[in-house]
Amino acid sequence: EEQLVESGGGLVQPGGSLRLSCAASGFRFSRYAMSWVRQAPGRGLEWVSAIAPSGSDTTYAEFAQGRFTISRDNAQNMLYLQLNSLRTEDTAMYYCARAGGPIATMGGTMRGPGTQVTVSS
């Protein structure tokens, strides 16, 4: 069974950091570009970042540039998102997705159940 499972979310103060993880199973992880997307309360899915199958290329949404870092470990079938300098507006459910860009927000894209990130003082 193809599966993505996120972890690492939590409650953090503004300016804090979190590292999100996504465990992939049931498919050849190293062959796919991957993304992180998020959904804030009352809003639609928003693309955050993407990484090439080899990990050699990464792209970020403007709001994530300079604060978030996407990475992957193909040997462990793991995807990561390092979140730094968190802001209250980063509060959202974060999902990993099997897609290499904003298309990851579209219906039919494989995504995990998500991990909640709450930024609050």
Side-chain angles (χ1 to χ4, degrees):
E1 179 186 2
E2 298 180 336
Q3 196 171 19
L4 297 169
V5 180
E6 302 90 343
S7 61
L11 174 63
V12 62
Q13 293 185 339
S17 298
L18 283 173
R19 189 192 194 204
L20 307 184
S21 299
C22 172
S25 60
F27 64 98
R28 194 69 65 88
F29 178 72
S30 61
R31 292 185 175 179
Y32 290 88
M34 299 292 294
S35 288
W36 286 95
V37 300
R38 69 183 187 182
Q39 187 167 26
R43 301 185 65 177
L45 282 170
E46 180 177 41
W47 174 74
V48 177
S49 180
I51 188 166
S54 67
S56 58
D57 294 301
T58 59
T59 54
Y60 297 91
E62 185 174 349
F63 66 83
Q65 190 75 40
R67 298 190 301 127
F68 298 173
T69 303
I70 191 170
S71 62
R72 65 192 297 162
D73 182 342
N74 285 343
Q76 299 295 324
N77 293 339
M78 295 293 296
L79 179 72
Y80 302 102
L81 186 67
Q82 178 69 40
L83 307 173
N84 295 330
S85 303
L86 283 162
R87 306 165 180 166
T88 55
E89 55 265 38
D90 294 318
T91 294
M93 186 74 80
Y94 284 72
Y95 303 89
C96 62
R98 195 173 70 180
I103 194 174
T105 63
M106 295 183 65
T109 301
M110 179 184 180
R111 289 188 289 270
T115 187
Q116 178 67 40
V117 172
T118 302
V119 185
S120 175
S121 56

